[in-house]
Amino acid sequence: MITSRGAVMQKILSFSIIILVLIGTSIYAGGDEEEQLLNTNSCVNCDLSNAWLEEADLRKADFSGAKLYRANMEYADLRGANFTGADLSNVRLRGANLTNAILDNAILRYTNLGDANLSGASLKGAKLRDARFSNTKTDGIRF
């Protein structure tokens, strides 16, 4: 027979497990599409919201039209990547290498580009409202 104290502990344990499962699934949003990106270096028009891509090697990856809301791409190698028309709102790109990246018509609202390298990048028609550019390398950017 389970005592009342034991029943309370069992309920707390069950509740904790449910919370951990829910948190785990929300942190790893992107799932199959994130795996597709890492395997093929392409994720056109896909949803990578909340994806964890910190320090990922994504040189020349194609993110055209992708939704990357709140993704973590800090210190990622994104040289020559194509973000045409992508939504990079609230993305963490601190320290990322975006040399020669294409960000034409991309949304970079509230995006953190601190310490990133945007040398030679194209930002034609990009929406940069409230984006942060602290210590960002900007040599040869095209607007």
Side-chain angles (χ1 to χ4, degrees):
M1 179 175 157
I2 299 176
T3 65
S4 63
R5 184 175 182 189
V8 169
M9 292 302 290
Q10 188 175 21
K11 287 180 182 179
I12 290 172
L13 180 61
S14 296
F15 180 73
S16 298
I17 290 171
I18 291 169
I19 295 298
L20 288 173
V21 168
L22 290 174
I23 289 173
T25 55
S26 68
I27 288 174
Y28 192 70
D32 292 339
E33 291 177 327
E34 188 173 333
E35 189 173 319
Q36 172 192 330
L37 170 66
L38 295 173
N39 290 332
T40 67
N41 217 32
S42 179
C43 205
V44 175
N45 295 317
C46 63
D47 189 349
L48 291 165
S49 296
N50 298 303
W52 192 269
L53 299 165
E54 186 173 357
E55 297 182 356
D57 183 355
L58 296 165
R59 284 173 284 183
K60 297 187 178 182
D62 191 354
F63 296 95
S64 301
K67 182 178 180 183
L68 292 137
Y69 178 76
R70 293 184 57 128
N72 181 0
M73 301 176 91
E74 290 184 339
Y75 303 101
D77 188 348
L78 299 161
R79 288 176 285 175
N82 183 359
F83 292 95
T84 301
D87 184 352
L88 292 113
S89 300
N90 291 292
V91 171
R92 293 166 53 186
L93 284 163
R94 186 172 51 105
N97 189 346
L98 290 146
T99 302
N100 297 319
I102 302 166
L103 295 138
D104 296 344
N105 299 307
I107 301 167
L108 293 119
R109 188 168 185 182
Y110 297 107
T111 302
N112 183 356
L113 292 150
D115 299 313
N117 186 350
L118 284 168
S119 299
S122 177
L123 288 110
K124 296 174 185 172
K127 289 149 187 76
L128 303 169
R129 184 175 177 188
D130 297 312
R132 290 168 285 192
F133 292 91
S134 175
N135 297 316
T136 304
K137 292 180 184 171
T138 58
D139 301 326
I141 286 183
R142 297 177 309 270
F143 289 100

